[in-house]
């Protein structure tokens, strides 16, 4: 393989990782080692990484990240909802609901093809209003 082919192959691998499961991770801002977010219009969308840690440690990190996001929501008055869409929401919907999110259930096939094209597991969405979020985590 020539050097140019290697460079092209590496670029394709990096792009595949960045868009793994249809999510462009480089557009998310990291809050801590489990939680990151992106703002799209009036929605602050959170992403949770599936890290190797105990359930207790994961929950502590999630709560820490959500509390830190209060500053972001306060600094961005256009944010009206905080949402999460993932296989994690589908698998752990009771835990996500305990965090204050309303579980919306499965996303449409069209949305799954567009944003989660490589994901084989069910993908659900959840959200809460700005006021609910600030009330819970301020």
């Amino acid at each position: 393989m020539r050097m140019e082919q290697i460079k092209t192959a590496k670029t394709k691998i990096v792009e595949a990782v960045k868009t793994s499961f249809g999510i462009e991770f480089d557009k998310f801002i990291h809050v801590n080692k489990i939680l990151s977010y992106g703002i799209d219009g009036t929605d602050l969308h959170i992403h949770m990484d599936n890290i190797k840690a105990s359930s207790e440690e994961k929950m502590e990190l999630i709560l820490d990240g959500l509390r830190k996001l209060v500053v972001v929501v306060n600094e961005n008055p256009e944010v009206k909802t905080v949402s999460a869409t993932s296989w994690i929401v589908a698998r752990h919907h009771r835990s996500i609901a305990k965090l204050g999110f309303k579980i919306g259930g499965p996303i449409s096939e069209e949305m799954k093809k567009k944003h989660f094209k490589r994901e084989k597991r069910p993908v659900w969405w959840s959200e809460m209003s700005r006021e609910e979020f600030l009330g819970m985590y301020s």
Side-chain angles (χ1 to χ4, degrees):
M1 223 181 228
R2 294 187 342 223
M3 193 57 117
E4 187 175 309
Q5 290 173 318
I6 293 170
K7 187 175 181 179
T8 301
K10 282 183 179 179
T11 301
K12 286 181 181 179
I13 290 168
V14 168
E15 288 306 309
V17 169
K18 283 182 180 177
T19 59
S20 175
F21 302 111
I23 300 169
E24 295 183 29
F25 291 109
D26 60 336
K27 292 186 179 179
F28 283 86
I29 299 166
H30 292 276
V31 177
N32 60 24
K33 70 180 185 178
I34 198 169
L35 201 73
S36 56
Y37 74 95
I39 297 176
D40 183 18
T42 62
D43 184 54
L44 183 144
H45 192 82
I46 61 172
H47 171 73
M48 288 182 233
D49 286 327
N50 189 21
I51 64 168
K52 290 196 182 285
S54 69
S55 295
E56 294 80 18
E57 184 182 359
K58 286 179 184 179
M59 189 54 73
E60 286 176 25
L61 286 166
I62 291 167
L63 291 171
D64 170 69
L66 292 172
R67 287 185 198 109
K68 288 177 179 175
L69 283 175
V70 166
V71 173
V72 176
V73 172
N74 280 327
E75 289 177 350
N76 292 276
E78 72 277 7
V79 170
K80 303 298 181 207
T81 57
V82 177
S83 67
T85 306
S86 172
W87 66 267
I88 296 171
V89 176
R91 184 172 292 165
H92 302 286
H93 56 91
R94 287 183 188 91
S95 296
I96 302 297
K98 287 178 184 176
L99 292 171
F101 288 87
K102 291 179 180 69
I103 306 301
I107 62 174
S108 69
E109 281 303 312
E110 180 182 323
M111 188 176 198
K112 190 169 182 180
K113 285 178 185 175
K114 183 177 180 183
H115 297 288
F116 298 89
K117 57 187 162 211
R118 295 185 186 119
E119 182 58 70
K120 301 297 182 214
R121 298 166 285 198
V123 176
W124 286 15
W125 65 276
S126 62
E127 71 178 14
M128 72 172 85
S129 72
R130 170 192 188 88
E131 294 76 20
E132 292 166 325
F133 180 81
L134 292 174
M136 284 196 79
Y137 296 105
S138 291

